Amino acid sequence: MTKDLTEYRQPTRVSFNSGWSVRPKIGFFSELRPGQAPPESICLPHDALVGSVRIPSDNGSNTGYVPGGAFAYSKEFDVPSEWSGRHVAVDFEGVYRDAMVFVNDDFVAQRPYGYSGFRVDMTSHLRHGERNVIRVEARAHEDSRWYSGVGIYRDVWLTVAGDVHLDYAGVQITTPDLDADLGVAAIATTLRNSGARPRTVRVRVDILDQEQALVAQTEAPVTVLPAEPAVLRQRLTIKNPQLWDVNDPNLYTAVTRVFEGGDELELSTTAFGFRTLQLDTAHGLRLNGRTIKLRGACVHHDNGPLGAATIRRAEERRVELLKKAGFNAIRSSHNPLSPAMLDACDRLGLLVIDEAFDVWTESKSSFDYSLRFADWWERDVEAMVLKDANHPSVIMYSIGNEIPETGNSLGAVWGRRVTEKIRQLDPTRFTTNGMNPMVSVIHRLAEAGRSMEGGVNSAMNQMGDLMKDIATSDLVTNSTEESFAVVDVAGLNYGESRYELDRELFPNRLIVGTETFPAKISENWVAIEQNSHLIGDFTWTGWDYLGEAGIGRVNYADEGPQSFGAPFPWRTAWCGDIDITGHRRPVSYFREVVFGLRAEPYIAVHPPENFTREARHTQWSFSDAVATWDWDVAEGTPMRIEVYSAAPEVELQINGKSAGVRPAGPANGFKAIFETEFAAGEVAAIARNADGSEGRWSLSTPEGLPTLRVRTDRATIDASDGDLAFVEICLEDDAGRVFRQGAEPFSVAVEGDGVLQGFGNGNPQSQDSFRSNVGNTYEGRALAIVRPTGAGEIIVTVKGANQTATITVTAVDRLVDALVH
């Protein structure tokens, strides 16, 4: 029997994102003075800092030179008289940070950690039949090592239900029994009763498969006492369950309805999947019985031109592009992932290591979460596990990132506390801890007279071989043994020098490279494929991000000494395989070759003006070569070209004439380097395999004059606060070849049922504001992000100096997509 989700009425949990306003938070007495700036009307999710004026400062590279601030959000909403006696709550998926929540000026909730979801019960603070006001204050000040943003940057949901209602924990689903013929969905539904007398209700659960066919159903009564939660556990058997896998992410939907008599009190839908996880040193990590190596990307939480705002379509697009680039896993860095991105990983098939904290008791920034950790860690772990428990994409929890305490016994005690709390809440998944060997013993290094001037990241950038010596030292081996023993998988940040050593010293230790340098993938991946105790590699980073400005840049000797952070106007880290607009950089294709996912070679060209200059790389940089043969130089200008290929031999041709043959493949780091001369036309690489087969790829000089073209990722989008249209702006010739030289100014105008939500390019040093409608291309490209305001046509017009291009996006009404959330 096929069930259409429209047969179910709308859920009692609906979006509460629209109708908000925001303004800088000022003191109470200052607010009473005349002349205060009016608030800005906005739709959530929202980042109040993304449009801020960046300020050069001595330590501003961490945040991309964006200063902190405090902001107050408010929303007026009607509370009808019929809500009297109803349970009314607001769920915040994330407020950065130190959130304070007020309803009708009454304080109702606080949440210090910026990455935890939390519920605010407004029931006793509402005025029925009147306009009510909810106010949320948020702030950031020297509390993050990267750009955090500020504000209600994740979705907000409103629940209006009866006295008997689903608890915030809602519906939790596990799949304890699974084989080819049968699968069991164990469903735990937690109910609360805010009334004054016991109530008996019935809970009905329908299980729908990917095609919305009804595959199982059950119903049972449950008595709920006042002020005492009731958990109803139901087991449903599904015949021939379709497994969730990265290549075939089959999802089921549990539709849970609460009835009293003939009245339906509440409805909730929960997506889940059937899959098995196994972990041992003989097979490594197995998903559904098959060994899988994690081709991983670390990702920060910001969305580039949107700042920290985790609008659902932006999160989904990142997952789409990361998977297309060859990744099969992501590690959230260094905080719990958004529900929107987890939903996307479930739908599209990407595995997740979800990380809890960047700090425990020892601070890394002056006013960071370490000030709150001791009091709040349990509640924040609970929030993370509650968020993740139903997502088949989540395979592992990380309890921390580069925690200094992990090098001593009391730090191991803290690690055990966090890990055991997770296991108590969710015994179905594995745990890890992203430990940096040098960070774990950093205090003892200082005691030994090894200077950490400039901080640990600067030291890591400068130490080179010394860092390897420290990582493999007895000091690290002995100091970290207990902390590694606490978790299921040893996470190593920049600790690949321990891979072989730990196989001998700790034969039962499984290892994942939780953070690795981009340029090391060719040697790291060989080790991972050859060793069953190594389960994967997570590069820093898969997607470029705001803050830690310039850590992946390439400097030159004539520019002076190199430091960890780059000077203003740098704003992005510039170490991502994919830039902040979603455009793949050459390192992404190199990684695809190393993973064995790309048969064709790939060409990247060094800027000719740097041909004679001595390059100085950071540990996080890869190359400054770009995939273009569009150079404003004379014929015969010396050029250096990189060709990435798994084939043992590569020939380079320029306009059909051979420019040489070089070895490539694994024995040569998957890279062949040629020195030749520029000639407009075509540069081609021919990769020759041992079996005689060939692969070819080429770059060509664009011809004629640049033509302005705009295209959208989707011509039709949902008329909802969670959808976006990504409009790419390009300068191309008639054959679609991009003119990459120079920066062309453009303006963007949006008319109709939409607004310009963000505008920018991938330039890591751009000074254009993401909130402006005026900006420049970078390497021939820019990106406009459009958000619908209702159903109808959205007309996007891009104007250059001499050209104008227009594109239309249609926003359509659909059923609430939160039916499956």
Side-chain angles (χ1 to χ4, degrees), residues 27-73:
F28 174 77
F29 293 106
S30 298
E31 288 181 348
L32 301 177
R33 297 173 186 166
Q36 301 300 323
E40 175 190 3
S41 297
I42 54 100
C43 180
L44 304 177
H46 179 262
D47 176 5
L49 284 184
V50 68
S52 301
V53 175
R54 298 195 299 137
I55 301 172
S57 62
D58 292 339
N59 60 352
S61 66
N62 282 351
T63 62
Y65 298 96
V66 178
F71 295 85
Y73 290 77

Side-chain angles (χ1 to χ4, degrees), residues 586-633:
V587 62
S588 175
Y589 295 93
F590 177 76
R591 192 179 310 279
E592 194 176 19
V593 167
V594 173
F595 285 155
L597 303 175
R598 180 184 175 90
E600 300 83 8
Y602 187 84
I603 302 171
V605 184
H606 287 262
E609 63 269 22
N610 298 329
F611 186 83
T612 61
R613 303 173 76 194
E614 179 188 347
R616 290 182 174 174
H617 294 266
T618 74
Q619 298 277 20
W620 292 272
S621 64
F622 178 74
S623 171
D624 62 355
V626 292
T628 185
W629 199 235
D630 177 29
W631 301 101
D632 187 16
V633 296

Side-chain angles (χ1 to χ4, degrees), residues 540-562:
W540 192 264
T541 58
W543 196 283
D544 201 22
Y545 59 97
L546 303 176
E548 293 194 318
I551 68 169
R553 69 196 184 282
V554 176
N555 268 19
Y556 290 88
D558 53 24
E559 295 176 327
Q562 187 152 22

Side-chain angles (χ1 to χ4, degrees), residues 40 164 181 197 210 247 250 475 479 523 558 569 579 608 703 775 808 814:
E40 175 190 3
V164 178
D181 299 322
R197 59 183 178 83
Q210 190 107 318
N247 299 320
N250 288 292
L475 173 63
S479 298
E523 54 192 89
D558 53 24
D579 75 19
E703 298 177 352
T808 299
R814 302 185 196 271

